[in-house]
Amino acid sequence: MGKNFSDFFLSSECMIRMASGWFYLSCLLLGSLGSMCILFTIYWMQYWRGGFAWNGSIYMFNWHPVLMVAGMVVFYGGASLVYRLPQSWVGPKLPWKLLHAALHLMAFILTVVGLVAVFTFHNHGKIANLYSLHSWLGITAVFLFACQWCLGFAVFLLPWASVWLRSLLKPIHVFFGAAILSLSIASVISGINEKLFFSLKNTTRPYNSLPSEAVFANSTGMLVVAFGLLVLYILLASSWKRPEPGILTDRQPLLHDGE
């Protein structure tokens, strides 16, 4: 029995070391892409759209794309990958659950502030709210995000839920986590397109002539797509998933009492 436990421990350590190298390389790329998504959006709003304010003007609107990219894409995507950290595979899960919930809460706060910015601008300028496909996608993603966070907090963080209930809801929680990120990316892409159509329709160089602002904004959108695809890849890569308690991964040899 002692030999089996020792072999299992050593095999787990080896698995963690093997997964860590590629995982942290992917995380480095992911961090670079996420930072570029936010910085590119800030630069776009600052250089071409006049900067930021909090007074109901168009400059208040400029907070909206920055905060939504930061909250619903970058912070949300990063929070989703907490359980892919090899260090989370061993030891108690509670610290990782707290980190997972805290990062998602930060993402949600940024998102809410981003929504306040756009609704305040629309109301101040007497512009209709929630009429475009972009807004429908975005508000759906935010609503699902709120439900997802509350469900996760109530079922997976608080100690009252049974193992049976958590096992039942875990696949649903994982599915909607990826679905919300996908909806967020779709909302960001449609939002970039919508912003460019509105901003460049009465200029000397319209959107279809591909001025420098359009090239930069389109490139920002491609960065968002690349970030989202990498997050989804890491989430789906079976070799980076936390092994279930008592279940050995395919890389590990089966241990029998007679060995």
Side-chain angles (χ1 to χ4, degrees):
M1 183 65 182
K3 180 179 182 297
N4 289 342
F5 178 79
S6 176
D7 289 344
F8 175 80
F9 179 78
L10 290 174
S11 182
S12 299
E13 288 292 312
C14 181
M15 179 182 66
I16 292 173
R17 283 195 295 269
M18 289 173 63
S20 294
W22 283 110
F23 178 83
Y24 287 121
L25 183 62
S26 298
C27 282
L28 180 62
L29 177 59
L30 196 67
S32 300
L33 284 172
S35 299
M36 290 172 68
C37 288
I38 297 173
L39 292 174
F40 271 48
T41 310
I42 291 173
Y43 187 80
W44 176 25
M45 293 297 108
Q46 181 67 45
Y47 184 78
W48 278 285
R49 296 292 112 208
F52 303 92
W54 198 264
N55 54 9
S57 68
I58 187 64
Y59 305 115
M60 183 173 182
F61 170 87
N62 291 346
W63 284 110
H64 174 67
V66 172
L67 292 172
M68 301 310 280
V69 167
M72 288 299 294
V73 176
V74 177
F75 272 80
Y76 184 93
S80 300
L81 298 179
V82 165
Y83 293 121
R84 297 301 182 266
L85 288 167
Q87 289 86 347
S88 73
W89 295 1
V90 293
K93 290 184 70 174
L94 182 58
W96 303 103
K97 288 183 178 183
L98 292 172
L99 179 61
H100 182 69
L103 288 174
H104 273 306
L105 182 60
M106 177 61 68
F108 190 72
I109 291 171
L110 292 172
T111 299
V112 169
V113 178
L115 289 178
V116 169
V118 69
F119 278 107
T120 302
F121 164 68
H122 279 190
N123 294 336
H124 188 268
K126 296 180 172 54
I127 302 171
N129 291 304
L130 301 177
Y131 65 89
S132 65
L133 178 59
H134 159 67
S135 61
W136 287 17
L137 287 170
I139 207 67
T140 300
V142 174
F143 173 75
L144 291 175
F145 186 10
C147 294
Q148 173 89 333
W149 194 90
C150 291
L151 175 68
F153 182 82
V155 175
F156 297 104
L157 191 59
L158 297 181
W160 69 271
S162 65
V163 174
W164 175 84
L165 180 60
R166 291 181 179 182
S167 298
L168 178 68
L169 293 179
K170 182 179 177 181
I172 300 173
H173 187 69
V174 171
F175 168 79
F176 275 101
I180 291 165
L181 179 61
S182 301
L183 279 172
S184 300
I185 293 168
S187 180
V188 167
I189 298 307
S190 60
I192 290 173
N193 227 18
E194 186 178 287
K195 178 63 176 175
L196 288 172
F197 276 124
F198 286 154
S199 300
L200 300 177
K201 64 181 179 179
N202 293 320
T203 61
T204 55
R205 293 201 63 193
Y207 190 11
N208 60 8
S209 68
L210 208 62
S212 57
E213 179 180 0
V215 172
F216 188 87
N218 287 350
S219 300
T220 303
M222 294 303 295
L223 286 173
V224 169
V225 170
F227 177 88
L229 289 176
L230 184 55
V231 171
L232 292 174
Y233 172 76
I234 294 174
L235 284 174
L236 295 174
S238 59
S239 60
W240 291 334
K241 292 181 180 179
R242 177 185 172 111
E244 295 293 337
I247 299 178
L248 302 180
T249 64
D250 293 337
R251 292 182 182 181
Q252 294 173 292
L254 294 175
L255 299 179
H256 302 285
D257 291 339
E259 291 181 357

